[in-house]
Amino acid sequence: KSARVVGFIRDEPQIKIMPNGIIQQRFIVEVETVSKNPASGALIVTAYNEACPARIGDKITAEGTIKFISNYKNPGQIDGVTRLKSDGITARMSAGKNGVEIESVDGNFWTKFLRIVAAIRAHYQQSMQQVMSSEDAAAIFAMLFGGYAGLNPELVEDFQTTGIVHILSVSGSHMSLLAAATAYFCLLLKLPRWATVALGFFVIITYTLLSGMLPQVIRSAIMGLLVFLGTALKRDVMSARFLAFAALGMLIYQPLLIFDVSFQLSFSSTAGLIYIAPNLRILMRELPRWFSMPAAMTVSAQIASLPIIIWYFNQVSLSSVLANVFVMPLLEIVIVGGLLGGLIALVIPVAGKIFFVGESLIFGAGAELNKLFANLPFSAVQVPTLGIAA
């Protein structure tokens, strides 16, 4: 029904230019009142007009038609309704011709902190856009902080075919990469174990804050923290217990996560790294280490998550080992280097620009190599929908 909604902007507003040139602005709003009646919960408000300045925590008033969120009717479609409900979002509104009204609010300490985080993200995005193509900037920004805005659909399709599409959004692999880089750095400096754990926690928590603290990011961070702690203490059994404890804690907090695809994939693939990878590395001990380490991790994660991947996507990637061995190292350089590049650009803008040009070249090489693997015969095999018994 038509209503007037008043609330507060919860996340960074998203601006998109439509093919017809119209500007679309999207807000996630924590609702305070609906037609002057007290209300709670969140909804998505979409407005089509000139983009108005808005920040996290600002007060927003919108008039339009409120509708419940519904799934597409295509069989096998991922349940988007449950995913949004697990994030507290249960409705959507398309603002009418009057659009939305934004009232600037100072906000509390937490709101001001989130605005600082948003400004840092904007700094990274603007620094990259100055020296890269819009498609490269969108892809690298997605790899650093998540979000699919501006991504080339062909690039996404190639990454899906080779089974590394998770690199285009903040995932457990990002946390594992940062944890590994931190551990290697601490090893070079010969820091004590407690300092390694403290620095690892600091890096992962900081990155989680910069990535917008989305539910899937928080899940990945919790897993990364717990597995990193278990690894730093050199106790694989502890890593497994930490993983189970994290899953239980999350499901107590939000039971709907049990139906979320990313939740299922995150925990199954991480379980594969804990339970299967060590044995595979032993089996591959005769192979060169530069190949056996990433290959064992890739195969382990795929074996553990295979039933879920087949169930939802009806596709198995046969080229993922090649992509993980030859493409992922390049993309990992882009992620770690991209985070450093933003810091360099903050202190020495010219050096930051040169750094980001190099990032764009490395990413281009990785994307082209991945495209080559994606176009190989049988790079991905379609699997029919199987019954629950299978």
Side-chain angles (χ1 to χ4, degrees), residues 30-66:
E30 283 290 342
V31 178
E32 195 174 53
T33 62
V34 176
S35 299
K36 298 184 178 180
N37 296 313
S40 62
L43 85 162
I44 298 170
V45 175
T46 307
Y48 298 90
N49 54 8
E50 288 298 319
C52 49
R55 305 171 299 170
I56 296 172
D58 283 349
K59 192 171 185 178
I60 182 171
T61 303
E63 293 186 29
T65 304
I66 297 178

Side-chain angles (χ1 to χ4, degrees), residues 72-255:
Y72 292 106
K73 303 303 180 185
N74 300 335
Q77 193 80 13
I78 290 174
D79 188 356
V81 173
T82 302
R83 169 169 286 190
L84 289 171
K85 279 184 178 179
S86 69
D87 198 22
I89 301 170
T90 55
R92 60 185 174 88
M93 168 188 273
S94 182
K97 59 183 179 181
N98 294 327
V100 297
E101 297 175 14
I102 306 294
E103 180 184 338
S104 182
V105 177
D106 284 341
N108 54 25
F109 172 81
W110 181 245
T111 300
K112 291 176 181 177
F113 175 77
L114 291 178
R115 288 172 180 171
I116 292 172
V117 170
I120 294 171
R121 288 159 56 93
H123 158 72
Y124 273 87
Q125 193 167 32
Q126 290 164 8
S127 299
M128 288 187 285
Q129 288 174 343
Q130 289 174 357
V131 294
M132 300 181 195
S133 68
S134 58
E135 288 184 356
D136 279 7
I140 295 176
F141 185 81
M143 288 167 58
L144 295 182
F145 303 115
Y148 280 77
L151 284 180
N152 185 339
E154 292 181 6
L155 176 77
V156 177
E157 187 176 349
D158 289 341
F159 276 55
Q160 285 175 333
T161 301
T162 56
I164 60 170
V165 72
H166 58 85
I167 203 70
L168 293 176
S169 60
V170 180
S171 63
S173 61
H174 288 64
M175 302 302 174
S176 301
L177 172 62
L178 288 179
T182 304
Y184 182 71
F185 175 74
C186 293
L187 189 65
L188 287 178
L189 296 180
K190 298 182 179 179
L191 296 178
R193 191 172 296 171
W194 67 265
T196 301
V197 173
L199 187 60
F201 272 48
F202 173 77
V203 169
I204 291 175
I205 291 171
T206 302
Y207 184 60
T208 303
L209 295 172
L210 288 176
S211 300
M213 291 180 29
L214 298 172
Q216 60 270 27
V217 176
I218 294 174
R219 287 200 296 274
S220 300
I222 291 173
M223 284 188 295
L225 289 170
L226 295 177
V227 174
F228 180 77
L229 181 60
T231 305
L233 297 175
K234 297 184 178 179
R235 295 184 181 179
D236 292 337
V237 174
M238 190 174 285
S239 296
R241 288 175 180 169
F242 280 157
L243 183 67
F245 181 74
L248 182 61
M250 287 175 158
L251 291 173
I252 289 172
Y253 174 72
Q254 178 50 275

Side-chain angles (χ1 to χ4, degrees), residues 333-344:
I333 291 171
V334 171
I335 292 171
V336 176
L339 293 172
L340 289 174
L343 298 176
I344 294 171

